[in-house]
């Protein structure tokens, strides 16, 4: 693992690190914010999964999360959203290929060799983090934005016991039912839609739910509302009596201006779960 | 004036607006954050002047200022750092020409026709703001980063009564004595160094000071320390018995990670002056 940069930030360190990923068969870069408390011992971890077109960097510089994480003594992990490189398959569309991994393991060519973001985020990167940094991997939580909200929700529900809490900003809630999902799942997973279901948070919510608190925020002026399909997840959460909050925030859109506004709430929500017991 | 975008943000509106500038003889773009209180009447204004290579956008998305401004009921103005356009003179260097206006009025060619950032920020943009938005122009304060810190300090000291408080993040403190300044002043103002002095905050501090509180933060690990020359301003502030604080922040560098860390302090500092009396 190589450290590309380190900046002092809110009393802690915002680092950027690169490692040779065996899962994605390419170099992968991630951001890691360590609060000052990490100098004295392992700290809890909040994962932040980003949306379409983003790298590890966008949320790291625009979401305004470090200040709140510093206040709570929590580390932040910012993974990339796909494998990258000249040898990695891509597509001209912004919503397929590099920058658009959708947190799935591809089973179809040309995506198979590298596009294994589910395994990368679920298995390889946690191992890299545990080995190299003072992180308490028994205290993990996860959040994300848009495609990353979809990733956070599906990972949290599919890995029971891994995350104490899950939240999402404007998540893609029902990818098997909308054009942010059907297009990508057909490409990455093939035409058999039964293979798509494990990657749909509304279906997972209906089937199993999450053993912990859930927080979802979406702006009422989100320009991608038809693609996000929040009503499916809200309905599934209510039908299951899922512990949690589903909020529609008046006037907010899909941007980082929306996300940064509610970041304090989300970090505090996760901190309560991470610091408990 | 045309509004390019508006995003709801911390209960207020982050707008981006473009107007035909007569001062710079080109279209100029600025960001303006209006807190919720602006719906009920004029609100105080905090100017934020950006550094080299920046447009109106960088601080707007990376400095994390809107949340604190919303809490204080204060508007934020993010001007561009230079005139722009295909017809506007430029230089291959990142620190001269477009993106590097240095908040001066150029007297030398090829810069004369457009590079009048002092007059733009001191006169034209305030008039545009006062005409179009619910701003209390009797309650203004100013801050900035690096080249923008230089701009904030020199404008504040040269326009007595305009700004109630001034602060700066890692400002260029003594441009007539360092390579971030001498190069640009020679190009924009010519070889007669007597014309440079009005644009040097250390010289202005020695000569007249500021009638109000001053706050300056610089990181001890700032990679551009030799160009910033903080010791000249600190010495001049102390010699004058200037009301204010000059802080060196251990471990911080020149980045937005540094600035965002101390943004809460700076907005609170200005809010105290803006809300007084």
């Amino acid at each position: 693992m190589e450290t590309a940069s380190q900046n002092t930030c809110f009393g802690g360190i915002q680092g950027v690190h690169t490692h040779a990923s065996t899962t994605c068969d390419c170099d992968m870069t991630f951001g890691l914010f360590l609060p000052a408390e990490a100098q004295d011992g392992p700290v809890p971890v909040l994962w932040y999964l980003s949306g379409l077109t983003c790298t590890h960097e966008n949320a790291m510089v625009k979401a305004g999360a470090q200040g709140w994480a510093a206040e709570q003594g929590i580390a932040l992990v910012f993974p990339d959203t796909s494998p990258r490189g000249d040898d990695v398959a891509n597509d001209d569309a912004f919503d397929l290929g590099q920058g658009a991994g959708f947190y799935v393991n591809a089973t179809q060519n040309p995506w198979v060799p590298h596009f294994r973001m589910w395994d990368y985020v679920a298995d390889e990167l946690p191992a890299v983090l545990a080995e190299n940094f003072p992180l308490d991997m028994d205290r993990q939580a996860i959040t994300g934005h848009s495609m990353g909200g979809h990733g956070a929700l599906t990972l949290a529900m599919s890995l029971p016991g891994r995350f104490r809490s899950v939240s999402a900003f404007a998540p893609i809630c029902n990818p098997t039912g909308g054009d942010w999902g059907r297009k990508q799942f057909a490409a990455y997973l093939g035409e058999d839609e039964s293979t798509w279901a494990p990657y749909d948070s509304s279906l997972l919510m209906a089937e199993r739910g999450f053993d912990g608190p859930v927080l979802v925020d979406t702006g009422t002026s989100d320009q991608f509302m038809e693609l996000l399909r929040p009503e499916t997840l809200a309905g599934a959460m209510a039908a299951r009596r899922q512990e949690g909050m589903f909020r529609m925030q008046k006037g907010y859109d899909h941007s980082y201006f929306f996300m940064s506004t509610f970041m304090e709430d989300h970090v505090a929500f996760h901190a309560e779960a991470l610091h408990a017991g």
Side-chain angles (χ1 to χ4, degrees), chain A:
Chain A
M1 202 193 65
E2 286 184 16
T3 297
S5 67
Q6 293 197 100
N7 299 88
T8 302
C9 180
F10 288 96
I13 298 289
Q14 177 62 61
V16 173
H17 312 279
T18 299
H19 66 113
S21 165
T22 53
T23 305
C24 296
D25 195 19
C26 65
D27 283 350
M28 292 292 284
T29 298
F30 62 93
L32 176 67
F33 172 73
L34 289 174
E37 287 82 352
Q39 294 169 22
D40 302 321
V43 295
V45 188
L46 175 57
W47 291 74
Y48 181 100
L49 304 186
S50 283
L52 288 167
T53 76
C54 291
T55 69
H56 67 282
E57 194 181 18
N58 302 61
M60 207 180 89
V61 300
K62 299 201 296 184
Q66 291 94 342
W68 308 119
E71 197 171 287
Q72 301 283 0
I74 291 172
L76 298 168
V77 185
F78 302 97
D80 203 344
T81 58
S82 77
R84 300 202 184 257
D86 294 341
D87 301 333
V88 175
N90 204 357
D91 190 277
D92 288 341
F94 77 96
D95 58 3
L96 189 66
Q98 296 187 34
F102 259 79
Y103 306 100
V104 303
N105 291 330
T107 59
Q108 307 296 307
N109 281 320
W111 312 107
V112 170
H114 302 282
F115 281 74
R116 303 187 58 79
M117 287 302 292
W118 181 278
D119 282 353
Y120 176 70
V121 174
D123 298 326
E124 186 178 15
L125 186 51
V128 168
L129 294 171
E131 189 182 328
N132 290 283
F133 301 99
L135 301 173
D136 180 352
M137 302 305 275
D138 290 330
R139 295 174 189 268
Q140 296 185 65
I142 191 164
T143 187
H145 175 230
S146 196
M147 176 182 76
H150 142 75
L153 290 162
T154 53
L155 282 154
M157 286 187 272
S158 302
L159 300 170
R162 172 75 62 90
F163 301 105
R164 295 190 175 196
S165 49
V166 59
S167 78
F169 300 87
I172 301 174
C173 293
N174 180 218
T176 65
D179 285 344
W180 271 356
R182 295 191 63 81
K183 169 184 174 176
Q184 294 81 4
F185 288 180
Y188 295 143
L189 306 172
E191 297 300 330
D192 176 2
E193 296 192 20
S194 70
T195 66
W196 302 4
Y199 298 118
D200 186 302
S201 62
S202 291
L203 299 179
L204 288 170
M205 182 57 71
E207 180 201 313
R208 63 175 80 170
F210 177 68
D211 183 23
V214 177
L215 170 61
V216 178
D217 273 318
T218 303
T220 61
S221 299
D222 195 302
Q223 60 269 47
F224 302 111
M225 192 71 86
E226 299 307 311
L227 298 163
L228 303 179
R229 299 173 62 82
E231 63 282 4
T232 57
L233 181 60
M237 283 176 66
R240 169 159 292 278
R241 287 48 164 155
Q242 170 68 49
E243 174 190 358
M245 260 192 293
F246 192 98
R247 307 190 297 197
M248 299 296 301
Q249 301 286 3
K250 186 173 180 184
Y252 289 89
D253 58 27
H254 202 67
S255 69
Y256 277 85
F257 296 115
F258 154 64
M259 194 195 318
S260 60
T261 299
F262 298 101
M263 186 56 73
E264 181 180 11
D265 276 10
H266 283 242
V267 174
F269 163 80
H270 290 294
E272 193 177 335
L274 290 169
H275 289 313

